Every structure is written in structure tokens, then in C-alpha cells.
Amino acid sequence: MRICCVSWAVSAMSKSDRLIVAVLDGGLLPDRALVGGKAWSIAHMRALGLPVPPALVITTEACRVYHQCGGELPAGLFDKLMESLAYLERETGRRFGGASRPLLVSVRSGAAVSMPGMMDTVLNLGINDEAERALAAELGNPGFARDTHRRFCEMFARIVLRGGPGDLDPSATPLQWRQCIAATCGRTIPDDPYEQLRLTVKSVFESWNGRRARRYRQHHGIPDDLGTAVTVQAMVFGNADDRSGTGVIFSRNPLSGANTPYGEYLPRAQGEDVVSGTANPHPLNRLTTDMPEVHRELLEAAATLERENGDVQDIEFTVERGRLFLLQSRAAKRSPAAAARIAIEMVAEGRLSRLEALSRLSAEQVRMLLRPYLVASEVEGAQILARGEAACPGAGVGLVVADADAAERAASTGESVILARPTTSPEDVHGMIAASGVITEQGGSTSHAAVVSRALGVPCVVGCGAGALAQLVGRTVTVDGGHGVVYAGALRVEHPRENDSPNLMRLAEWAAAHSPMRVYREGEAAPAPMVDLDTVPGGGVPERLGTILAGVRGAKGRVLASDAGIHAAVGAGLDFVVVPHVLPALLAAVAATRGADQSRVSEDKHGRHGQ
Amino acid sequence: MTAKLAAMHGLAIKKFGTPAAIAAVLGADDAEIAKALGEAVAAGEVIAARGAFMLTPAGQAALAADYRGRFADLRGNAAFVAAYGRFEALNSELKQLMTDWQTLEVAGETLPNDHSNKEHDDRAIDRLGDLQERAEAVLSAMAAALPRLARYRHRLDAALAKAEEGAIEFVSGAKIDSYHTVWFELHEDLLRLLGRKRNE
């Protein structure tokens, strides 16, 4: 890492040389506390020899000084910043604020610990009328250059000027956009790219002292003078020519968990085109014919990053004129089935210990794998009574009732009911809690009915059409919340069993070895008498279990189907519990011993101290 | 609004409410709400069951009749109605945000969010904080005409703070005063004040 030091004439400080700007050139790995998580990750990738667009970082030290100076960017910082930008210019062969081959950059905030309320990313900074013309000529694509300009104006107005009109009219001119922004924000977007950068850096530093960031630090005991860094990285252009494009690669398949890289590629496109879904990407292996070198390099990079980070990676990349650039790598989102398979295979490959593998799969993920589902052969001939939008997956069978009170009354007698409403209001929530399924006539997949059903995990179909449901009252139906269909009659619902899955059985065996209490499946012989929490007043409330379970050896009851219930049981020192499915309870019990209920906090603290 | 009708309005928003839950919505005293509900029970407008209360059809009708006269000024208040328009725009955004929070896009498939990806969750909570800042401006504008509405600002912020601290069930949990629960109540309150119909 090439470092730039500057002398400060700040009377309050004794040290005179402070690192305020650094170039991330793959040399010495910088101190994470000084450069923040994002810059550290870029430096780490470069140190591994991976292709990353050139970047520089304004350090957390600069942020501290900024606040000590009462919110002024000292002149020295900007001089150093311009020197470091020259490095980005050399690396890219572009010029920041140049009239030909302009350099555009992304600007991101990044503290050593991520926290809410920090400034979002500004992309395409450096563009103005002149740069737009230059970019249009260079790429032979005036439409793209104009669009890049517009996206920058929208982002800058929203993030830096804290306001703006939202979406700008794509058919208007840049002058009109700037006038529109000036009218709504009271401030305008500077033409000078250096001024754009200066305001953005200030805005990042200001966001460090925003209300939400301060509240978060206070709650988690993070010092206020830790400061945030600012990462400035060259933009690359996936739409430069036919040997350019953008895409995403997962180091393993995130849906099945299979150990085969999986991804998509969109030729001649920028990242936004993939996100906005305006074009259909190709499978990744298209690159094997178009650019086999790039494809090979990409697979190697995915394998390297997975090995280094110890988990499946989701990597965004861009190819510019046949040259690969990695933009971001992070732990991949995955399906519950993939999570189970990956955890097991990474143990077999010697990449994880069994205990580590157990932390890669949550009780909630296993509950999802064990959720009842409709048998396909039954669905085929069934009569469809209504169709709507799928709002919460799952199968629910019951008698249709028309209001929440009726739902609650019927459910209290043990009857399974489906609540049918035109729309739902807060008055209906108690009925939704009691129901085995919810169906509505109006509203889409973001309606309150959908949101509440998902929060409760109740199968739900919304928007079946005005008047479609009244005729169903009093009939028994089956709700398929995953496909948005209501069938006549009670269709057979399959309840998956852990014993049928070798993966789940193996994980249960590993978890049992680390669990602080024994977990028996219902129907297995338990060693001693136990308390049935369903019959004890307050036995359904995790917070009350501590008192109820004092001096007790074993327990069963519905409350033990939740993480909070198992945590309470572990906290009460039970010898054993009896539950319908053992793996979720075992995983929750193992998590309780490592304090995973506070994992979000401790992970962050670990990140901060473990630099 | 008389104490009785105020308590009944709170009950309309917090159905099966206890006096304490209704008092929290209205920013009133528990004992006064309990007393007012007692009067409503005597008048046949509310019934009591297991410590909680609920409006009778007569109570619903009395409340609707009261709204028309009582909130005529508010319904004609251009600043209030304009702020409500901004609330509706935020409401669409909120519902999308809640849906994004509850779902996980994995390689093009939408799955229920099992909260296994911290980055996804942090991002959604961060967006919620951004929305809260804009909602506060709207609520301040509405509270200028009806000070009681400022309560919602604090209740929403309390739910956000819990979510930010790691109690993620306070984003959309249906059985607690989560951000979505409080927002849903606020929306219902506004619809009743203005005599509007819910469209979904």
C-alpha cells in the first residue's frame, strides 16, 4: 500500500503525521479500523492477485479530524486526494474531469463496523455535460452516456443533497434535470467533478453523526470517534464493446447447494441493466465460447474467494474490452436446502469443522424444509375455486369463515379455518393468527394481508377478485399459498419427516454431540416424566418458562417449536425436551450455548476487535 | 371528542384491546380509558371479554356518526389532507419494503426470508430508518392539526430502534408492536379520521 501522510496543524493533537488517504494497490494489507470493511475487502482481493478496479480510500482518521475541526475538510486532505486520484487515472488510462476518456468513480462509506444510517453509494461521480459527450463518443453510445448522467443526478440529489425530485424524466435535458433538482433541494449539482467529490466526502462524514448511527453506536458500545472511511473506486464499463458485459457468479449453486459454480452474464451491459431486469441474462457458460480466458479466470477467482472467506460467495463482475474486473464479493444468499447441503459438503471437504457447519444452518431454515406441502398428484385433478396472487407459501386446509371473530371462535374449539376477507385491517389480525390460511379479494403481494400472513407464516392468497370469496363461506377448501390457488375440499398434505433425509439425520447427529440438553422425537421413549407446557398457564410464553421449569427435568409443548422456547429451556437447565422434529430444537440449543441470540451484536464486535 | 368516544376510537384501531393497549395508542391514562370503556359497556356500545374489549355494531355506528361531525374540519384542512397524500405514497413504499424484508431473492427465485443473510436484513432495516425519517416529517405536519398523532412518531421510532438493536421481530412481527403493526394502526386511524376506504 502506498501511503500519503500529511501534517496537521491541529492544536488539539500531538501527533503530526497521520494517514488520511491510501491507495489500495495490493501492497501491504491495511488496518481494517483505519480503512473500513469495504476498502479492506478490495485490498484483500488485490493482495490475492484478483482483478479489482483501482481504488483509493480516505481513512477513518480523516473522519476523526473532520469532526475535530468542527466539520471542515482541511485543505491538505484534498491535495492528497488529488494525488491519489492520479493513481486511478494512470491505472485506467482515464482522466477525472477529462474531456476525453473521462474517469468516473463510485463513492462508498465504510466503517470497520457496518451500522444503519450511513451514506449510501454514489455511482458515476465525475460526469457532467462535457464528460457525457466524451463518454458518448468513446463508447459510440449517446443513449448510455445520457442515462449514466441521469442516474448520477438522481443519486447525488437523493444521497448528497438529501432531497430531490426522485426519478428524473429520461427525455429531459441535463440542464432541465439540474434546474429541477435546484428547485426541490435548494442546492444544485456542481459541474466540477472535484466539487462533486468534495461534497460527497463531506456527506459521508456527516452521516457518521446521523441520529441512527449515533443511536446504534450507543447501544452497541461502539466509540463515537471510530469514524468512517470513504472508498473511491474507478467505474468500469460493461457496455464498451462486444467483448464487454456484466454478470454475477456464485461459487456454488445457491438453490441446490451443488458444488458447481452458477451464474448469469449479460453482454454489452452495465450492472443496473441486470438489476432492473430490462434484459434477459445468459447462463454463465456462454462465456466459455465467447471469452474462454475470462470464464476460466472467473472460476478461479470464485474458488479463491470461497476458500479465503470460508463460505459460498456471490460475486459481481464486469468485463470491459475482454478484461475481467471483480466488483464485489460477499456471502451468498441460499435456499434452506442449499444451506444444509453446503454445510455438510464443506465438512467433507475439510473446510469447516462440524461445529462451524452447525452455525451455517439455522433452526428456522430446517423448519422451512420440514413445512407441510401439497401432494402434486392430488392437486392435478382438484377443482379450483379461486385464483389470486401467491402471498405466503404453504398449504392450509379448513372451513372458510367470513370474519375474524368467527375465525377465532372456531379455532378456539379446535376447528381449522380459512379466513376470507375483501381486504384486511388491523381488526382482522386476531383472526389471521387463529386461521390456517388467509384469502383476500383485493390487494397484491405487498398488501397488509400479505405482510401479516408472512409475519405469521400463515399460507395466504391475495387478490382473488371482487366477490370471488363470499360464495366459499361454509365450504372446506385447501389454500396453496405458494401458487396462489384455492382448491375445493381437503387435499392431502404431506408432512416431511427428518428420517427421510440423510442430510438432516447427519446434521442432527452432529448437533446432538454439541447440544447442552437431549432432544427426543415425539413417540421415542423419554427417560423420565416431563411437564406438558401446553397444559400449564403461561407455558406458551418463553419469558415465563424460567419460573415454570425451575427444578424440572424434561418438557414438551408447542412453545419448544420456537428458538425462544428452546433458549428458555436451555437457560432453565433442562435435561431433555420432546419435540416433533429434533433438528430445529438441536440447532437452537447449540446456538443458545454460543449465545447466537446475540450473534448480530457479537459478530459486529468481533469484527471491530478482531482486526 | 368525549372520553367515551375517544376510547371507542382507540378500540376500533386496537381491536380486542386492553385499556393499557388503547391508552398506549391514544397517549391517555389507563384508568381513564378503563372508566370510559365501562360507560360504553353500560351503553351497549362495547362488550367486555377476558379483560379485553370490543365494539358492538351499535358502537361502530355511534362512532361513524360521531366521526362525520367531529372531523369535518380536519377533512377540510388542506394542509392535513396534503400530508395524508404524502403518507399514502410512503405507505406504498413501506409495503414494498416489508415484502422485501420478508422475502429472499436467491438466483431469481423468491423464498421466504429465513434471516440467514445478515447483509440482506441490515439493508432492509437501514431502508426502514430512511423511511422513518421521511414519515416523521409527514407526522409532524399532521400533528400540527391533531397533536395526538405525534404518538405514532414515537411508537414507530421505538420499533425501529429495537430492530436496529437486533430484535428483528420488531420489523414486521404481527403479535407485537412492530413497525408494521404500528404503521397498520396509524393507517387505520387516518382512514377513519378522513372517512376514506381502504383499497387493499
Side-chain angles (χ1 to χ4, degrees):
Chain A
M1 182 174 63
R2 202 164 59 86
I3 57 178
C4 303
C5 291
V6 67
S7 298
W8 292 104
V10 177
S11 58
M13 291 182 301
S14 53
K15 276 194 262 178
S16 60
D17 276 352
R18 287 165 180 271
L19 177 63
I20 55 165
V21 180
V23 165
L24 304 168
D25 60 6
L28 193 67
L29 204 57
D31 179 0
R32 192 186 167 104
L34 189 62
V35 301
K38 289 195 181 105
W40 190 89
S41 166
I42 290 171
H44 183 221
M45 287 206 262
R46 290 208 77 145
L48 292 169
L50 298 172
V52 180
L56 62 89
V57 62
I58 302 166
T59 66
T60 55
E61 180 60 31
C63 179
R64 272 188 290 277
V65 173
Y66 172 84
H67 287 296
Q68 281 161 359
C69 294
E72 283 298 319
L73 286 179
L77 173 101
F78 218 69
D79 294 342
K80 289 294 160 193
L81 189 52
M82 288 171 79
E83 277 179 31
S84 301
L85 273 168
Y87 160 77
L88 264 62
E89 293 178 335
R90 281 197 303 279
E91 287 278 307
T92 55
R94 296 178 168 277
R95 261 193 92 72
F96 193 58
S100 77
R101 290 186 56 79
L103 170 67
L104 304 188
V105 296
S106 65
V107 184
R108 297 182 160 85
S109 66
V113 185
S114 69
M115 60 187 68
M118 295 300 295
M119 197 202 78
D120 225 331
T121 304
V122 176
L123 300 176
N124 300 311
L125 188 139
I127 200 162
N128 52 22
D129 290 347
E130 198 178 33
E132 183 197 312
R133 278 192 297 273
L135 201 60
E138 178 195 338
L139 303 176
N141 189 346
F144 168 74
R146 177 57 57 95
D147 201 43
T148 301
H149 198 170
R150 179 180 55 80
R151 284 196 295 241
F152 165 72
C153 290
E154 284 175 0
M155 272 190 171
F156 193 91
R158 180 168 59 82
I159 294 168
V160 181
L161 303 180
R162 311 283 301 154
D167 293 344
L168 294 166
D169 176 7
S171 63
T173 66
L175 179 66
Q176 287 168 320
W177 296 333
R178 282 184 155 78
Q179 286 169 341
C180 173
I181 288 163
T184 47
C185 296
R187 286 195 290 165
T188 190
I189 300 180
D191 271 331
D192 177 7
Y194 289 97
E195 186 60 11
Q196 293 173 0
L197 184 54
R198 196 183 66 83
L199 289 179
T200 308
V201 171
K202 257 180 93 79
S203 169
V204 173
F205 288 168
E206 286 298 325
S207 72
W208 174 256
N209 269 345
R211 185 183 62 163
R212 277 180 285 146
R214 274 188 285 126
R215 179 161 76 185
Y216 186 87
R217 291 199 293 274
Q218 192 172 13
H219 182 79
H220 293 297
I222 299 167
D224 276 332
D225 64 357
L226 205 61
T228 181
V230 188
T231 305
V232 179
Q233 188 170 31
M235 301 283 301
V236 286
F237 297 100
N239 51 3
D241 62 10
D242 285 337
R243 289 174 55 75
S244 302
T246 190
V248 58
I249 179 171
F250 293 84
S251 57
R252 301 185 191 215
N253 186 308
L255 284 169
S256 70
N259 190 2
T260 351
Y262 168 94
E264 290 177 331
Y265 178 70
L266 193 57
R268 252 203 137 109
Q270 276 294 79
E272 292 86 348
D273 301 324
V274 180
V275 175
S276 66
T278 47
N280 278 331
H282 304 286
L284 194 66
N285 58 20
R286 166 161 173 160
L287 276 175
T288 54
T289 46
D290 291 5
M291 286 182 277
E293 278 301 295
V294 166
H295 187 255
R296 194 180 46 76
E297 198 184 354
L298 198 50
L299 293 194
E300 280 173 13
T304 302
L305 284 164
E306 181 184 290
R307 191 178 60 242
E308 281 292 318
N309 297 333
D311 198 0
V312 179
Q313 298 293 296
D314 162 355
I315 302 156
E316 289 172 26
F317 67 90
T318 285
V319 184
E320 184 184 291
R321 297 191 170 94
R323 188 173 162 198
L324 174 68
F325 291 98
L326 307 180
L327 305 184
Q328 186 168 40
S329 183
R330 53 192 166 189
K333 296 174 194 169
R334 64 204 73 175
S335 73
R341 179 167 172 183
I342 289 165
I344 285 175
E345 292 190 358
M346 288 186 90
V347 170
E349 294 160 21
R351 291 165 192 262
L352 292 180
S353 71
R354 288 179 178 185
L355 189 58
E356 282 168 330
L358 294 172
S359 73
R360 296 292 171 83
L361 184 72
S362 69
E364 185 58 24
Q365 286 174 308
V366 178
R367 283 184 206 112
M368 287 191 178
L369 287 173
L370 295 171
R371 211 170 35 196
Y373 62 92
L374 286 174
V375 180
S377 57
E378 285 253 327
V379 170
E380 232 160 70
Q383 184 196 352
I384 294 173
L385 296 178
R387 269 183 195 280
E389 214 172 323
C392 179
V397 179
L399 187 71
V400 178
V401 296
D403 70 80
D405 296 340
E408 196 180 34
R409 270 197 311 278
S412 68
T413 67
E415 175 131 41
S416 179
V417 291
I418 303 297
L419 176 62
R421 297 287 304 154
T423 64
T424 63
S425 74
E427 294 187 339
D428 298 310
V429 172
H430 70 106
M432 297 170 79
I433 292 170
S436 303
V438 173
I439 48 183
T440 71
E441 294 183 345
Q442 286 163 257
S445 64
T446 67
S447 63
H448 285 304
V451 171
V452 172
S453 295
R454 285 190 293 261
L456 295 167
V458 176
C460 177
V461 177
V462 293
C464 294
L469 301 180
Q471 69 216 22
L472 303 185
V473 174
R475 294 184 66 170
T476 293
V477 302
T478 300
V479 175
D480 181 354
H483 296 96
V485 187
V486 182
Y487 295 103
L491 302 189
R492 193 158 67 84
V493 174
E494 188 74 28
H495 294 264
R497 294 170 353 122
E498 291 168 290
N499 309 35
D500 295 338
S501 161
N503 278 356
L504 298 189
M505 290 303 283
R506 184 170 313 165
L507 287 162
E509 187 190 312
W510 295 351
H514 291 281
S515 171
M517 66 181 178
R518 299 192 76 85
V519 177
Y520 295 96
R521 187 172 288 112
E522 266 173 12
E524 287 176 353
M530 67 191 119
V531 172
D532 181 352
L533 291 168
D534 289 343
T535 64
V536 180
V541 185
E543 293 76 26
R544 293 182 59 185
L545 295 188
T547 325
I548 294 169
L549 294 175
V552 170
R553 282 193 62 199
K556 66 175 180 179
R558 283 192 297 273
V559 70
L560 299 174
S562 69
D563 286 8
I566 292 294
H567 286 198
V570 169
L574 286 194
D575 289 343
F576 70 93
V577 293
V578 177
V579 290
H581 298 298
V582 298
L583 184 54
L586 284 167
L587 287 173
V590 173
T593 61
R594 59 168 181 259
D597 50 337
Q598 291 157 10
S599 61
R600 277 153 200 276
V601 180
S602 52
E603 260 176 46
D604 281 346
K605 286 190 174 156
H606 178 74
R608 185 161 66 87
H609 297 309
Q611 297 132 14
Chain B
M1 205 180 243
T2 66
K4 185 184 79 174
L5 284 161
M8 285 167 63
H9 174 68
L11 185 55
I13 289 158
K14 204 99 192 168
K15 191 168 188 182
F16 271 136
T18 61
I22 295 162
V25 170
L26 300 174
D29 179 71
D30 291 16
E32 279 172 26
I33 296 289
K35 181 164 162 279
L37 288 174
E39 288 171 24
V41 171
E45 290 166 336
V46 164
I47 53 170
R50 293 168 303 184
F53 295 81
M54 123 189 213
L55 290 168
T56 63
Q60 293 277 13
L63 204 52
D66 181 64
Y67 286 149
R68 276 191 290 278
R70 193 166 305 278
F71 297 120
D73 283 356
L74 202 62
R75 292 174 188 187
N77 180 329
F80 190 89
V81 173
Y84 170 74
R86 299 209 297 280
F87 173 84
E88 280 293 338
L90 286 178
N91 186 54
S92 302
E93 204 182 315
L94 185 274
K95 289 189 298 181
Q96 184 60 53
L97 205 166
M98 287 294 160
T99 301
D100 294 345
W101 163 257
Q102 293 175 322
T103 53
L104 204 58
E105 291 281 333
V106 178
E109 283 200 25
T110 304
L111 306 174
N113 185 4
D114 54 30
H115 302 293
S116 58
N117 192 285
K118 183 176 183 299
E119 192 180 338
H120 173 271
D121 284 6
D122 284 352
R123 174 88 191 116
I125 291 172
D126 204 18
R127 281 171 62 202
L128 191 61
D130 181 62
L131 183 132
Q132 167 69 6
E133 284 177 8
R134 287 173 289 138
E136 286 184 357
V138 171
L139 278 167
S140 295
M142 291 199 276
L146 189 63
R148 173 174 74 76
L149 294 176
R151 289 283 306 166
Y152 285 105
R153 175 182 166 162
H154 303 300
R155 291 178 68 209
L156 289 168
D157 194 44
L160 171 68
K162 288 199 178 88
E164 285 177 347
E165 287 165 10
I168 58 170
E169 64 275 19
F170 279 88
V171 176
S172 73
K175 298 178 186 176
I176 51 177
D177 270 2
S178 67
Y179 199 93
H180 181 261
T181 300
V182 177
W183 185 277
F184 201 11
E185 288 174 7
L186 166 60
H187 194 198
E188 181 70 14
D189 205 338
L190 295 174
L191 290 169
R192 284 174 170 271
L193 294 179
L194 292 173
R196 307 276 175 112
K197 274 268 172 234
R198 184 180 287 281
N199 56 20
E200 68 165 44

